[in-house]
Amino acid sequence: MTLLRPLLLLLWLAVASAPATAEAPAEAPAPPAGDGAALFDEAWRTAKDHFYDAALSEADWQRLRAAHRPAGGIERAGEEVAARIDRMLAELGASHTARYTPDDPAYYHLLDIFRESRPLRARLARLFPDGEPRYSGLAAFFAERSGRTFIAGLWQGGNAEQAGLKVGDEILAADGEPFAPIRSFRGKAGREVTLTLRRAAGVEPEQIAVVPEEIRPRRALLDAQKRSARIVEQDGRRIGYMRVWSYAGRDYQEALVAALSEGALKDADALLLDLRGGWGGASPEYLWPFLPGPAMAFRSRGAPQWEAVSFKWRRPVGLLVDAGTRSGKEMLAHAFRSYAIGPVIGGHTAGAVLAGRVFPLSDDSILYLAVADVRVDGVRLEGAGVEPDIAVPFDLPYAGGADPQRDRGIEEMARRLRP
């Protein structure tokens, strides 16, 4: 597993939250201006040297460079150069392939996920006092729809949820300025920010005060996962629920097993595991609690209780997925269907199943690049995804906090418990 685990950091390249902190040293600086052509060449060369698809020939790479490289008159690394790099990467037609800057929400999440990698250590030590990425923002994921920004997910117990924000809210402005998940909160941790939002199409906007806080992504998502664990009473049955926002680290799986074996979910009659949105990174071994096999425990002399070595969940389990379910999480969804572990409920998954790595660039941006292809039981899920057993539509804009997929999942698990 030591080789497989890093290869399965197959992460969701979508929207997150915002960076920086109230203390200036903790904020990553804006990318310095530089030679646009040189930055393009650096990104192109990195992709050429590490992109997983060996079928691309030297001629293919030279064509990409010629088609998108900035003209000689573009001397500074600005928006036009960024757009040219983006178009070049888009031509590769692969998930896990994009460039991110300190103004991108995913920048901080990816740095945190890959912070132990050797190429990043020196960079992180310079950007953050303790080498641990963090930003000032809201405990939420955002999604773009037709040029508009909506709340796509609220991390349980976080400041966005506490402020009264709802999934489906359209965020229009912050302190009267156009909203940007990063810039709107930079340097404002602990200070009140007024958001202007719309909760239904055609209605007047309203305002809500929020207080951005310093967020360390990996810790914050683990805390939100733990707080999401709860029992839902349905038709006289106890349905356990947990939302795993990220699987990019073994601690997320350990938190799930702890909740099932001795924590908030241990007395549930069935489990609904929510893998919608967030980040991937799941390993095949994360299926073991739900597969047949022995459950072993030990207790040494004088120990107060038994300790589980290989915990097994022998009650019904179902999986929630949607278009934000990507990478390693899709592998789990595929296995749930292939091995009839339990129903897969929600929407079609993203079809983004490659192995990615992060490469730092000289302007402090990062290149996230697909470096290996992936097969699951011989099946290529990249570009295909996983179809749920029970399809439940969910329209994000102006959802008003409703969650028909979760509601249907809980109903289905209760139904499966009926005599």
Side-chain angles (χ1 to χ4, degrees):
M1 284 304 170
T2 55
L3 176 60
L4 182 61
R5 194 170 294 135
L7 286 180
L8 286 171
L9 286 172
L10 311 172
L11 308 169
W12 178 33
L13 302 180
V15 285
S17 146
T21 74
E23 300 79 23
E27 283 196 34
D35 185 310
L39 179 62
F40 179 92
D41 285 345
E42 183 184 8
W44 170 81
R45 190 175 303 106
T46 302
K48 178 176 177 290
D49 291 345
H50 298 282
F51 187 63
Y52 82 96
D53 190 355
L56 288 173
S57 67
E58 179 68 24
D60 293 326
W61 286 107
Q62 293 300 330
R63 181 194 62 79
L64 281 173
R65 184 173 184 267
H68 299 290
R69 189 176 190 270
I74 302 176
E75 297 179 352
R76 298 173 67 84
E79 292 184 2
E80 182 176 348
V81 174
R84 287 173 176 270
I85 294 174
D86 290 345
R87 289 195 293 269
M88 176 194 69
L89 296 174
E91 277 207 49
L92 296 176
S95 67
H96 303 75
T97 301
R99 174 177 170 260
Y100 294 98
T101 76
D103 280 337
D104 294 311
Y107 176 86
Y108 300 88
H109 287 254
L110 287 168
L111 286 180
D112 208 3
I113 289 167
F114 288 97
R115 65 182 179 179
E116 297 302 322
S117 68
R118 187 175 302 171
L120 288 181
R121 289 177 187 170
R123 186 72 55 92
L124 291 175
R126 178 170 58 80
L127 294 176
F128 305 98
D130 57 1
E132 184 176 1
R134 81 287 301 274
Y135 57 86
S136 174
L138 299 181
F141 286 111
F142 301 92
E144 297 292 324
R145 297 286 188 274
S146 302
R148 295 173 295 168
T149 302
F150 294 89
I151 298 286
L154 295 171
W155 309 349
Q156 289 76 7
N159 57 349
E161 184 180 71
Q162 293 174 10
L165 294 177
K166 297 180 180 179
V167 169
D169 286 348
E170 180 187 359
I171 310 300
L172 303 171
D175 284 342
E177 299 293 329
F179 179 74
I182 301 300
R183 293 189 298 271
S184 291
F185 303 113
R186 177 172 280 133
K188 296 181 180 179
R191 294 160 44 192
E192 190 173 278
V193 173
T194 300
L195 294 182
T196 304
L197 56 88
R198 182 178 285 118
R199 288 196 153 148
V203 305
E204 288 296 313
E206 57 186 275
Q207 294 185 331
I208 286 184
V210 298
V211 179
E213 62 187 26
E214 180 181 273
I215 294 175
R216 303 184 183 220
R218 187 164 178 168
R219 296 189 195 183
L221 293 181
L222 180 59
D223 289 342
Q225 175 185 332
K226 292 176 179 178
R227 288 193 293 260
S228 75
R230 63 184 185 273
I231 300 289
V232 180
E233 298 286 345
Q234 180 76 25
D235 299 335
R237 300 293 185 172
R238 296 165 58 83
I239 310 302
Y241 171 87
M242 176 176 272
R243 188 157 193 173
V244 180
W245 289 106
S246 175
Y247 254 139
R250 191 172 182 80
D251 43 358
Y252 300 106
Q253 175 70 2
E254 291 172 351
L256 170 63
V257 172
L260 293 175
S261 61
E262 57 189 13
L265 304 179
K266 64 182 178 63
D267 295 323
D269 299 314
L271 171 67
L272 183 65
L273 186 59
D274 192 343
L275 300 188
R276 296 174 298 168
W279 299 90
S283 169
E285 68 187 83
Y286 294 174
L287 289 167
W288 292 351
F290 309 114
L291 295 174
M296 186 175 74
F298 70 90
R299 185 174 69 181
S300 58
R301 178 173 176 172
Q305 59 188 15
W306 289 89
E307 295 185 34
V309 176
S310 56
F311 171 77
K312 291 293 179 180
W313 176 262
R314 304 196 189 278
R315 285 159 270 178
V317 56
L319 210 59
L320 280 183
V321 300
D322 67 1
T325 302
R326 301 169 67 94
S327 309
K329 287 180 175 179
E330 294 185 82
M331 179 273 298
L332 299 184
H334 174 82
F336 258 64
R337 295 203 66 189
S338 297
Y339 301 106
I341 297 171
V344 177
I345 303 161
H348 197 100
T349 66
V353 187
L354 295 172
R357 280 178 56 196
V358 165
F359 299 86
L361 299 178
S362 58
D363 69 337
D364 283 338
S365 66
I366 57 175
L367 183 62
Y368 190 39
L369 195 65
V371 296
D373 204 350
V374 175
R375 296 289 189 275
V376 181
D377 286 337
V379 176
R380 191 171 195 259
L381 298 178
E382 173 77 4
V386 178
E387 184 70 23
D389 299 301
I390 302 172
V392 183
F394 178 40
D395 191 20
L396 173 63
Y398 314 119
D403 193 340
Q405 293 175 336
R406 183 184 58 203
D407 295 344
R408 179 67 178 86
I410 290 171
E411 291 172 2
E412 177 63 21
M413 299 317 297
R415 186 190 70 80
R416 290 178 176 244
L417 289 167
R418 292 172 191 154

